[in-house]
Amino acid sequence: MFREMRRIKNKMSDADARALLQNCEHGTLGTISTNGYPYTVVVNYVFYNEKIYFHSAKEGHKIDNVSKNPKVSFTVADNIKVVEETFTTTYQSVTLFGRAKIIPGNKEILMELIKKYASSFLKEGKKYVDHSFDTTVLVEIEIDYLTGKERL
């Protein structure tokens, strides 16, 4: 169902791919719009319990797309460096395919986002989450296929 990597020598181990997914700061979500065109957007996310989560407003382009077609892709990349003298680029990346669904605000997941992006403000983050968790939604991506690629 999913294509195998063409340059297998660049394939990352599953453990390394998951570690990169855990540690990157942002990812690019790919969805299909109702007009058939792809739509991508960069999001802050957390990899938690083997799923991807990010928060969102309750309406908008990505929410409309996920509601109509749950199939998505998600990509993270890090350690990107152009190596001019060899006309190449070094990098690490992970691309996954999965099914997204919209779930209500969840204190546990929102706190995972706070831990990742505002770890110096956990006390304030907990108050913020307690006060406003019901004004946001989360998108949960269940991973169907994941692959990591690197050239270092």
Side-chain angles (χ1 to χ4, degrees), residues 62-75:
K62 66 182 172 286
I63 295 297
D64 290 347
N65 292 353
V66 167
S67 296
K68 300 282 189 216
N69 185 344
K71 292 180 179 179
V72 299
S73 65
F74 190 80
T75 300

Side-chain angles (χ1 to χ4, degrees), residues 14-146:
D14 191 56
D16 287 346
R18 290 181 187 299
L20 186 67
L21 195 56
Q22 183 74 38
N23 294 321
C24 281
E25 289 191 10
H26 60 274
T28 303
L29 173 71
T31 62
I32 300 296
S33 297
T34 56
N35 63 6
Y37 281 92
Y39 173 74
T40 59
V41 63
V42 175
V43 296
N44 291 339
Y45 73 96
V46 65
F47 179 52
Y48 183 66
N49 291 335
E50 293 298 309
K51 296 178 182 178
I52 298 292
Y53 294 93
F54 58 89
H55 73 301
S56 177
K58 292 182 177 183
E59 51 188 52
H61 199 160
K62 66 182 172 286
I63 295 297
D64 290 347
N65 292 353
V66 167
S67 296
K68 300 282 189 216
N69 185 344
K71 292 180 179 179
V72 299
S73 65
F74 190 80
T75 300
V76 299
D78 202 8
N79 302 312
I80 302 166
K81 181 182 177 203
V82 173
V83 184
E84 294 180 34
E85 61 273 15
T86 57
F87 309 106
T88 191
T89 302
T90 60
Y91 63 90
Q92 291 180 298
S93 67
V94 172
T95 296
L96 64 88
F97 299 90
R99 288 164 282 119
K101 68 179 178 180
I102 300 156
I103 62 173
N106 174 298
K107 290 182 182 181
E108 180 181 354
I109 304 299
L110 291 169
M111 280 307 299
E112 290 300 316
L113 286 160
I114 295 288
K115 288 176 194 174
K116 182 173 181 178
Y117 293 102
S119 61
S120 298
F121 298 93
L122 293 179
K123 183 178 175 184
E124 296 87 347
K126 183 175 182 340
K127 287 180 186 177
Y128 181 79
V129 167
D130 286 343
H131 178 71
S132 61
F133 77 97
D134 58 348
T135 63
T136 188
V137 296
L138 292 165
V139 176
E140 174 188 273
I141 302 174
E142 186 171 330
I143 300 169
D144 293 325
Y145 182 78
L146 177 146

